[in-house]
Amino acid sequence: MNVAKSKTEKSKVVTFLTHNPLFNFGKENLGILIGLLLLSLILTIFSPVFLSKHNILNVLRQVATNLYIACAMTMVIILGGIDLSVGSTIAMSGVVTGGLIAFDGQSIVVAVLAGLFVGLVVGAFNGFLISRTTIPPFIVTLSTMNIMRGASYVYTGGQPIRVMSDSFNFIGAGYVRGIPVPIIYLVIIVIISVLIMSKSKLGRHIYAVGGNPVAARFSGIKNNRVLFFAYLFSGLMAAVAGIVLASRMFSGQPTAGQGAEMDAIAAVVLGGTSMSGGVGKIGGTVIGALIIGILSNGLNLLGISSFWQYIVKGIVILIAVYVDFLKKRKEGTN
Amino acid sequence: MSENILLKMNHIRKEFPGVLALKDVSFELKAGEVHALLGENGAGKSTLIKILGGIYSSDAGEIVINGQVATIDKVQDAQTHGISVIHQELVLVPHMTVAENIYLGREPTKRGSRFVDFKKMNRDAKEILDPFNLDFKPTDLVSNLTIAQQQMVEIIKALSFNARILVMDEPTSSLSEKDVDFLFDNIRKLKKANVGIIYISHRMSELMQIADRITVIRDGEYIGTRSSNETNNDELIAMMVGRQLTNYYTRTFGNPQEKVLEVKNLNAGSFLKDISFHLNSGEILGFAGLVGAGRSELMKCIFGIDPITSGEIYVENEMVTIKNPLEATKLGIALVPESRKSEALFPEQSVQYNITIKSLDEFIKGIRVNHSKEGAITREYVEKMDVRTPSFNQLVGKLSGGNQQKVVVGRWLATKPKILIFDEPTRGVDVGAKAEIYSIMNDLVKEGVAIIMISSELPEVINMSDRVVVMSNGRITGCLPREDLTQEKIMHYATQFVFT
Ligand SMILES: Nc1ncnc2c1ncn2[C@@H]1O[C@H](COP(=O)(O)OP(=O)(O)OP(=O)(O)O)[C@@H](O)[C@H]1O
Ligand SMILES: [Mg+2]
């Protein structure tokens, strides 16, 4: 008993520090933060344009769409699942939005809402099957991934749908006070995700269901609702990314978003989220996505071919995950 | 006893980040002896064992086996030195069969090939299982076994290695009296075969029965070694906790008041048959029975985890249907589950998270988290349960087993339930903390809370309960008032439907 009491004084200091989000963020992500800084430093030295405002906005714009998906993917992976369908949902929501404007003459608002709805439907479908059956998320979303890719080809006949509308283009390529709109969405989405994960009951329930589903059930958590939410959110985020991409390219393309799920997963894993579920943070994912974005940007600036870029990306992911493994082993978690 | 020293662990030291688990502990084991390790929760027993078993490496000290210094860096090293360990937390693979688990990593193969010979494996497994008279088969899936049955699989698996040093970290914590006797018979056989056995348990009576010598450690330090026929409970407890412990069982029996829970003619699955009983506020209703009698299954039905096929449940005289644990919680029912590892803990999360996960409503409104309230709830139950942890942010998976149990109990107490179901509440908890839990239970019933306590430790059931329901083979076979509580009577009803 006396042990516990003498600890309370000390724990006040500890509580203060651990409730300081910045302190925690730095401590938890020390490794990849250093990686990110080193990477930026090297690029600053070797490429004069790297630190220019134009280039930074460019990187952020590219990072943005990946991060919309990666934020939701973080939740999905913490829940011990995976969502492979986001790439083709990007395509489907893009072509539906584009099609409604170009073919049906619908207003942009209606078209965008319809595009978002596509994402919600895919997410709800995944979420329903995953929360109500024992079919693994990998299989469920592998199926929807194929279905959605096929559906976007069928809908478009394989051709991009051109949308020559400036106001539609504004959604993904416009600026507000000099800031590209996709970055504004990004900030909003990251803030919402962080709030969900670190402040809300839902967030704690996500960690519980991912960490030990049986114990979560015993604790009165409705596991299937939590799972359903995560996949629904994932579908919605994919749709946002799809609409932004379509708007930026003046067209809904059935080939859009190919491999997007892999970039999102890479960002999540780089950010320290465990594929076995139960642990992970949005903050880490943000850094992970930045590393991936800056890496491709830097390799472009240095004139390295995109063929080599894949190889470099693969190696970087492996190194990051391996370092994390070494760190965990040293801490003695078995 | 021969003076043949099998094992010496000299001046072992082990530090985890922020925790000095072992300062300087020495230990020796002779062939043919049962040497018990005794200490409070978090004293460092499991850590010492894990160092011997190759799971952790020590920071200082040496291990000497048969007079030669041994390096044990990984689990295989321990095996080659003839060491076999049953760890505190079960490590069976749930979706494999009993036989597959026993022969994991050393499966018999078909002659001249690398294919597993499942026939032979099941036959061999049957051969080692048979003498134990168990009610499961080599081909049963481990996930379908009860915790106690799984524990027996662990024990049998460890025995099957023909080890010369056998380590058991709380092997009996989920076994009932009968299984324990049975285990002890086997331990005695092993002693005759000159195997050295390291035995960890918080059940003092067991140590006196089975151990030849007892070594006490406290806060990672060696306190002393006694031969079991020259010492007694009081001396050992004093060595363990560093002070005299009075009042082991605190219980002021009052007058139980009105009925808060009644179960009528409940049937569930193919096992639970015609269960009827009631529970009053302000009483502790013990549930005794052999392992596998259906006590935990019954509680899971009441708590809404498993469905019932027929029957009625009344809470405060109103008929209810409880479809899930959330509804149960809303009715004021709490269940501290049987297995902390699989049913209760979030090992990758902090002590604070684990204690408060059921009380989120009290300090989270939307996205506003009242951190000081959260901290206050945590502090209240850390102190109440005397959880030994370096901070509230320590991951629960890094606490010692007994301290994990205290966290789980704390989580449920924090929901301030009216009906509290404890399934083996003191499992793996040291004597001091046990006394603490008993006194908390006593306080709760004084406040009018109704408690159901499933326990396989008969002394605990007898000393704490107002009444005891005895179950056997999925049925209630008896209900004894406090005046009639004796071990013999309970065992009589507990074996009613068991034919062996
Ligand atoms: N992996 C780990 N990381 C950090 N601390 C640890 C780790 N494992 C154990 N500890 C700490 O080391 C101390 C000793 O723990 P250990 O598990 O050896 O106790 P024990 O004597 O077996 O207790 P119990 O009776 O509760 O099982 C405890 O304070 C525990 O919190
Ligand atoms: Mg232990």
Side-chain angles (χ1 to χ4, degrees):
Chain A
M1 278 136 274
N2 31 19
V3 178
K5 280 200 185 106
S6 65
K7 288 266 152 70
T8 45
E9 279 311 304
K10 199 180 131 203
S11 72
K12 267 183 198 149
V13 184
V14 177
T15 321
F16 172 74
L17 275 180
T18 49
H19 285 165
N20 185 335
L22 224 65
F23 173 83
N24 273 343
F25 181 74
K27 198 179 122 205
E28 279 158 14
N29 300 304
L30 199 60
I32 43 173
L33 269 177
I34 293 174
L36 180 65
L37 285 180
L38 274 181
L39 185 64
S40 311
L41 200 71
I42 294 171
L43 289 175
T44 315
I45 295 170
F46 284 100
S47 161
V49 290
F50 176 71
L51 268 191
S52 69
K53 185 182 168 212
H54 173 78
N55 189 54
I56 289 179
L57 286 184
N58 194 18
V59 172
L60 284 179
R61 220 176 1 227
Q62 270 163 17
V63 166
T65 40
N66 185 24
L67 251 179
Y68 306 159
I69 311 171
C71 281
M73 189 73 83
T74 310
M75 301 178 193
V76 166
I77 290 181
I78 289 175
L79 281 166
I82 194 132
D83 188 350
L84 299 176
S85 67
V86 287
S88 23
T89 305
I90 286 180
M92 191 63 194
S93 57
V95 297
V96 165
T97 307
L100 284 176
I101 301 170
F103 300 157
D104 304 323
Q106 293 286 356
S107 74
I108 289 173
V109 175
V110 170
V112 166
L113 286 179
L116 295 176
F117 188 67
V118 167
L120 287 175
V121 169
V122 179
F125 183 81
N126 288 336
F128 181 79
L129 278 182
I130 289 163
S131 63
R132 299 284 166 170
T133 71
T134 53
I135 311 174
F138 190 96
I139 306 296
V140 171
T141 59
L142 182 68
S143 314
T144 39
M145 163 176 136
N146 282 307
I147 294 170
M148 281 302 118
R149 183 64 66 193
S152 10
Y153 280 120
V154 170
Y155 182 75
T156 59
Q159 299 300 316
I161 301 171
R162 315 258 294 155
V163 185
M164 301 311 277
S165 151
D166 279 343
S167 36
F168 181 58
N169 185 241
F170 177 80
I171 293 175
Y175 287 82
V176 171
R177 290 170 191 263
I179 303 170
V181 273
I183 297 178
I184 299 176
Y185 307 149
L186 175 66
V187 171
I188 296 172
I189 288 170
V190 169
I191 289 178
I192 289 176
S193 304
V194 168
L195 288 180
I196 290 177
M197 292 310 277
S198 65
K199 297 279 178 189
S200 75
K201 278 182 251 178
L202 177 62
R204 300 202 183 202
H205 289 178
I206 289 176
Y207 286 109
V209 175
N212 186 346
V214 178
R217 228 164 94 68
F218 270 85
S219 300
I221 293 169
K222 297 220 158 141
N223 294 18
N224 42 26
R225 286 198 192 167
V226 175
L227 285 166
F228 185 82
F229 165 80
Y231 287 92
L232 191 69
F233 189 55
S234 183
L236 181 65
M237 288 304 106
V240 172
I243 294 166
V244 166
L245 284 175
S247 141
R248 202 151 74 205
M249 298 180 298
F250 286 102
S251 64
Q253 302 194 3
T255 52
Q258 251 161 14
E261 62 280 350
M262 290 306 155
D263 275 349
I265 294 168
V268 175
V269 172
L270 270 182
T273 296
S274 148
M275 288 298 282
S276 47
V279 273
K281 291 264 170 75
I282 301 287
T285 301
V286 172
I287 304 176
L290 281 174
I291 290 182
I292 291 178
I294 290 177
L295 194 65
S296 358
N297 172 260
L299 294 173
N300 276 335
L301 291 180
L302 300 180
I304 291 166
S305 91
S306 64
F307 302 159
W308 280 99
Q309 291 190 18
Y310 282 111
I311 297 176
V312 174
K313 209 152 75 177
I315 292 173
V316 166
I317 294 171
L318 263 186
I319 292 175
V321 180
Y322 188 71
V323 168
D324 195 49
F325 158 78
L326 289 180
K327 198 177 94 196
K328 289 225 176 81
R329 196 173 60 175
K330 193 161 154 267
E331 281 170 7
T333 31
N334 36 339
Chain B
M1 195 188 306
S2 77
E3 283 305 301
N4 180 4
I5 292 180
L6 264 184
L7 165 77
K8 267 182 159 226
M9 298 181 79
N10 295 328
H11 307 291
I12 304 288
R13 181 189 166 89
K14 175 72 187 173
E15 191 167 359
F16 294 110
V19 186
L20 184 51
L22 295 173
K23 287 195 191 93
D24 177 356
V25 173
S26 300
F27 182 81
E28 79 171 27
L29 180 70
K30 296 174 192 162
E33 116 175 296
V34 175
H35 194 153
L37 257 180
L38 187 62
E40 288 182 286
N41 295 132
K45 304 177 297 292
S46 298
T47 306
L48 189 70
I49 290 320
K50 285 181 182 164
I51 287 170
L52 181 63
I55 296 192
Y56 297 147
S57 50
S58 59
D59 299 337
E62 58 171 10
I63 299 177
V64 182
I65 295 174
N66 281 332
Q68 285 182 336
V69 176
T71 27
I72 300 179
D73 290 333
K74 44 188 192 309
V75 179
Q76 287 87 328
D77 293 347
Q79 280 172 4
T80 44
H81 282 107
I83 301 168
S84 185
V85 185
I86 303 167
H87 288 289
Q88 188 170 8
E89 305 296 346
L90 302 179
V91 286
L92 297 173
V93 187
H95 38 262
M96 284 189 171
T97 66
V98 170
E100 282 169 332
N101 267 288
I102 293 177
Y103 290 104
L104 194 66
R106 49 185 181 126
E107 295 84 355
T109 48
K110 293 211 174 103
R111 199 178 302 244
S113 80
R114 311 186 108 253
F115 295 106
V116 177
D117 187 344
F118 284 101
K119 277 218 192 86
K120 178 167 163 34
M121 186 161 89
N122 288 332
R123 227 181 313 119
D124 291 356
K126 191 166 165 359
E127 224 160 81
I128 42 177
L129 287 172
D130 269 348
F132 290 89
N133 253 325
L134 297 161
D135 49 358
F136 56 86
K137 298 189 296 295
T139 48
D140 285 345
L141 281 186
V142 161
S143 54
N144 292 340
L145 302 185
T146 64
I147 304 289
Q149 289 171 327
Q150 294 184 19
Q151 186 78 57
M152 287 310 292
V153 176
E154 282 274 13
I155 292 167
I156 290 166
K157 178 177 177 177
L159 293 179
S160 75
F161 278 96
N162 298 324
R164 282 178 303 129
I165 299 173
L166 181 62
V167 186
M168 302 186 176
D169 195 349
E170 302 196 33
T172 54
S173 63
S174 58
L175 298 187
S176 61
E177 219 92 337
K178 188 169 158 253
D179 298 318
V180 173
D181 286 344
F182 178 69
L183 173 67
F184 284 2
D185 286 344
N186 284 291
I187 290 182
R188 289 191 191 101
K189 277 184 211 155
L190 290 171
K191 275 177 64 167
K192 288 219 185 74
N194 246 358
V195 174
I197 295 163
I198 303 177
Y199 188 90
I200 300 178
S201 172
H202 288 293
R203 298 183 177 179
M204 305 294 289
S205 55
E206 282 181 359
L207 299 187
M208 292 305 183
Q209 259 184 64
I210 196 74
D212 300 303
R213 288 195 293 168
I214 299 166
T215 288
V216 178
I217 56 179
R218 182 168 77 223
D219 293 334
E221 273 178 300
Y222 174 85
I223 302 297
T225 302
R226 299 283 182 274
S227 134
S228 65
N229 41 32
E230 287 165 6
T231 184
N232 56 43
N233 267 357
D234 292 342
E235 185 192 17
L236 290 174
I237 292 173
M239 286 167 77
M240 221 169 118
V241 299
R243 68 194 146 87
Q244 219 72 34
L245 190 76
T246 47
N247 276 347
Y248 190 50
Y249 297 108
T250 320
R251 190 64 225 278
T252 34
F253 289 94
N255 289 334
Q257 294 123 27
E258 68 273 26
K259 249 186 238 174
V260 285
L261 175 74
E262 181 159 25
V263 172
K264 282 188 187 161
N265 310 107
L266 179 142
N267 291 282
S270 54
F271 188 55
L272 293 176
K273 293 213 177 61
D274 201 28
I275 305 275
S276 300
F277 73 94
H278 73 273
L279 171 72
N280 300 318
S281 65
E283 76 167 346
I284 295 181
L285 180 62
F287 263 74
L290 301 180
V291 166
R295 295 168 298 167
S296 301
E297 286 78 359
L298 171 61
M299 297 312 155
K300 282 187 198 165
C301 289
I302 295 174
F303 197 60
I305 289 178
D306 293 334
I308 62 174
T309 30
S310 67
E312 289 158 6
I313 298 175
Y314 295 83
V315 173
E316 293 175 328
N317 297 319
E318 264 184 58
M319 194 164 124
V320 292
T321 41
I322 302 173
K323 288 198 292 293
N324 55 52
L326 191 59
E327 290 178 4
T329 312
K330 284 189 183 138
L331 290 166
I333 307 177
L335 171 69
V336 179
E338 178 182 20
S339 161
R340 60 173 168 263
K341 189 183 173 201
S342 64
E343 296 169 341
L345 284 178
F346 302 105
E348 306 269 20
Q349 299 293 337
S350 66
V351 169
Q352 171 147 307
Y353 175 97
N354 273 277
I355 287 184
T356 57
I357 185 68
K358 278 217 53 78
S359 321
L360 300 181
D361 288 334
E362 286 186 40
F363 60 89
I364 300 185
K365 300 269 177 301
I367 54 162
R368 278 211 308 281
V369 184
N370 183 342
H371 287 295
S372 58
K373 184 88 185 279
E374 182 182 13
I377 295 176
T378 313
R379 178 162 316 120
E380 181 180 344
Y381 291 94
V382 162
E383 280 173 13
K384 202 162 189 174
M385 299 308 303
D386 190 19
V387 179
R388 307 287 172 92
T389 173
S391 83
F392 295 170
N393 294 298
Q394 180 74 325
L395 300 188
V396 152
K398 293 185 176 176
L399 297 189
S400 76
N403 282 303
Q404 294 179 351
Q405 180 70 12
K406 297 181 202 166
V407 167
V408 171
V409 175
R411 174 195 301 166
W412 288 99
L413 289 185
T415 65
K416 308 217 165 53
K418 282 182 289 191
I419 299 169
L420 185 50
I421 306 172
F422 278 118
D423 197 347
E424 305 287 356
T426 61
R427 194 172 149 193
V429 172
D430 70 49
V431 272
K434 261 184 200 167
E436 202 70 30
I437 291 181
Y438 298 142
S439 111
I440 289 170
M441 285 175 139
N442 190 49
D443 291 346
L444 288 169
V445 287
K446 271 201 268 180
E447 290 163 20
V449 175
I451 293 180
I452 289 179
M453 177 177 74
I454 298 182
S455 171
S456 299
E457 254 186 278
L458 285 181
E460 170 174 296
V461 176
I462 291 173
N463 284 291
M464 291 303 293
S465 310
D466 292 84
R467 293 180 298 137
V468 171
V469 171
V470 188
M471 284 184 74
S472 174
N473 219 350
R475 277 170 255 226
I476 289 184
T477 48
C479 181
L480 301 165
R482 182 160 60 93
E483 303 79 58
D484 289 354
L485 289 179
T486 61
Q487 302 228 0
E488 293 70 34
K489 274 199 182 138
I490 293 177
M491 287 319 283
H492 168 74
Y493 288 111
T495 48
Q496 201 99 341
F497 286 108
V498 184
F499 312 101
T500 36

